[in-house]
Amino acid sequence: MKAIQVEHQPDQSRLTELGVYAWPIWEKAASEFPWHYDEKETAYILEGEVIVTADDGSESVEIKAGDLVIFAAGLSCRWQIKQDLRKHYQFG
């Protein structure tokens, strides 16, 4: 199973089922930084574009507005935000 799973343009019923619009929002300007996931995160990208690359080189994923993403617990990666990012997110 991949450490970064992307679902491009999920339909509204899927987003409603997950309760995405009730999740907190996180925003970050274009930048680059390392990150480690202690627990699973599910995120829905509202605005922007980012490339997330696993530290072990096994995956590099481009994520854009409209994508639903699941980051696995234990993933160490590098975030390269190309366009200012705004996302809903939920841990666990």
Side-chain angles (χ1 to χ4, degrees), residues 1-6 35-43 52 59 69-77 91-92:
M1 185 167 148
K2 293 187 166 222
I4 307 168
Q5 299 174 53
V6 181
W35 193 254
H36 177 78
Y37 290 90
D38 292 323
E39 57 183 321
K40 178 180 97 170
E41 178 188 346
T42 304
V52 180
E59 295 179 71
V69 191
I70 298 173
F71 300 99
L75 171 67
S76 290
C77 57
F91 288 103

Side-chain angles (χ1 to χ4, degrees), residues 52-64:
V52 180
T53 305
D55 284 353
D56 66 6
S58 63
E59 295 179 71
S60 184
V61 178
E62 186 174 358
I63 303 163
K64 296 182 177 183

Side-chain angles (χ1 to χ4, degrees), residues 15-84:
L15 298 176
T16 300
E17 173 188 313
L18 291 169
V20 165
Y21 299 110
W23 299 350
I25 289 179
W26 182 81
E27 296 177 309
K28 181 83 171 155
S31 56
E32 193 170 329
F33 56 91
W35 193 254
H36 177 78
Y37 290 90
D38 292 323
E39 57 183 321
K40 178 180 97 170
E41 178 188 346
T42 304
Y44 179 66
I45 310 304
L46 295 166
E47 297 172 14
E49 181 180 336
V50 60
I51 297 171
V52 180
T53 305
D55 284 353
D56 66 6
S58 63
E59 295 179 71
S60 184
V61 178
E62 186 174 358
I63 303 163
K64 296 182 177 183
D67 288 344
L68 182 68
V69 191
I70 298 173
F71 300 99
L75 171 67
S76 290
C77 57
R78 181 154 209 80
W79 277 59
Q80 186 178 5
I81 300 176
K82 300 287 200 177
Q83 294 175 6
D84 293 1

